[in-house]
Amino acid sequence: QGDVGFNETQILELFDRVLVDAECSTDGAVRHIEKRRSSPSNQSCNAPAWNELNMSELVHLQKQLIESGFNLLRKGGVMVYSTCSLSNEQNEEVVQWLLNKHESAFMIAVSFKRSEEELEFMEEGSLKGTVRFQPSSARDSSDIEETVEGHIRNLTFSGGGFFLAKIGKA
């Protein structure tokens, strides 16, 4: 009565697909880094929300998020875990923690139907099957071709770095 949350007698709907875009330190987010650098007068904007002093708290939160997402998957479902961080501690180690804790969790390799040349900004993470997109803050204008509809083609990846893992439930 009036309690927020769930108890053991409640039945939760399970899902075929779950996306966990986890809170992270934003160390791969070029826009956040550039904003902090360009605002020296604003100390609160200059300092990252997550740092070495509270990183264990952040990783604990990420483990709670990934496990909650996994618990909402039905058998045969697929979860994508992502962050805008390039830290092993926030990415591969969180995913490995889930794999170790839940026997029914398994990796599904992330892949794209593009040539390696087109995806030169992407590399496999330290956990097989995961991927990292490396940050880039500059666009090469020779790679940009705008169409009449305003869509951009032939764009070299530009923006923040991020991490993706795809996890299945047996």
Side-chain angles (χ1 to χ4, degrees):
Q1 295 185 25
D3 289 337
V4 175
F6 301 100
N7 63 47
E8 288 109 31
T9 62
Q10 292 175 307
I11 298 174
L12 296 175
E13 180 179 356
L14 299 180
F15 299 91
D16 296 323
R17 304 281 187 263
V18 172
L19 169 64
V20 176
D21 186 17
E23 173 75 17
C24 69
S25 65
T26 69
D27 64 320
V30 174
R31 287 187 182 121
H32 290 288
I33 294 166
E34 288 175 347
K35 186 176 180 181
R36 285 194 296 265
R37 285 184 187 157
S38 67
S39 301
S41 62
N42 185 345
Q43 288 297 335
S44 63
C45 185
N46 218 7
W50 299 101
N51 55 48
E52 291 179 21
L53 299 175
N54 59 11
M55 189 57 62
S56 64
E57 182 182 338
L58 174 60
V59 170
H60 178 73
L61 172 62
Q62 291 168 329
K63 288 176 179 178
Q64 288 178 313
L65 291 169
I66 197 171
E67 187 169 40
S68 293
F70 187 75
N71 288 337
L72 289 171
L73 271 183
R74 77 174 75 239
K75 187 177 179 179
V78 175
M79 175 176 65
V80 171
Y81 175 79
S82 67
T83 73
C84 60
S85 171
L86 297 176
S87 156
N88 279 333
E89 186 178 10
Q90 296 175 63
N91 297 322
E92 289 92 343
E93 291 179 20
V94 170
V95 172
Q96 189 63 60
W97 172 85
L98 181 79
L99 296 172
N100 292 343
K101 185 167 182 184
H102 294 273
E103 289 181 13
S104 60
F106 62 93
M107 288 298 305
I108 301 170
V110 176
S111 64
F112 296 91
K113 295 181 181 182
R114 298 281 186 152
S115 70
E116 283 186 29
E117 187 176 291
E118 289 179 291
L119 298 173
E120 63 188 28
F121 53 84
M122 186 180 81
E123 63 186 35
E124 186 168 39
S126 62
L127 181 61
K128 189 167 177 55
T130 63
V131 293
R132 291 169 172 270
F133 293 81
Q134 296 301 321
S136 170
S137 61
R139 292 183 184 200
D140 179 354
S141 60
S142 66
D143 288 343
I144 299 174
E145 178 185 320
E146 291 193 39
T147 66
V148 176
E149 300 85 26
H151 297 286
I152 297 175
R153 295 183 302 178
N154 302 329
L155 176 64
T156 300
F157 178 75
S158 177
F162 60 96
F163 170 86
L164 288 176
K166 199 170 175 183
I167 301 157
K169 188 173 196 175

